[in-house]
Amino acid sequence: MKADTHPDYHTITVQMTDGTTFQTRSTWGKEGDTLVLDIDPTSHPAWTGGTKQLNEGGRVAQFNKRFGGLSLKKK
């Protein structure tokens, strides 16, 4: 391998949203830096089973609002 082509791989501290920390190796930051997470598996709805954010103002919602009362039945 060529020398000096790979990034520096060092130990950092990761702080979760609940305040717990752990150490891991990464190319992020410098040796001993702390990475503070905004979203992690303990707080993200995808992992916690929380409610999904629905796009209520989307194109389908606008269509249904405008044409929802129409039917194809003959009167």
Side-chain angles (χ1 to χ4, degrees):
M1 283 193 296
K2 293 181 181 179
D4 301 325
T5 59
H6 297 285
D8 181 33
Y9 194 61
H10 49 269
T11 304
I12 64 166
T13 303
V14 178
Q15 182 178 355
M16 306 287 270
T17 57
D18 62 357
T20 59
T21 61
F22 64 92
Q23 288 191 337
T24 188
R25 292 178 49 86
S26 175
T27 58
W28 180 86
K30 294 178 277 195
E31 178 78 28
D33 281 353
T34 300
L35 175 64
V36 180
L37 299 178
D38 294 331
I39 297 175
D40 62 15
T42 61
S43 64
H44 195 279
W47 288 286
T48 60
T51 59
K52 295 179 182 176
Q53 294 179 354
L54 298 176
N55 184 4
E56 296 179 5
R59 303 292 288 165
V60 174
Q62 290 176 1
F63 178 86
N64 288 335
K65 183 178 177 182
R66 182 179 289 174
F67 301 109
L70 297 178
S71 65
L72 298 175
K73 297 179 184 176
K74 294 183 180 179
K75 293 183 179 184

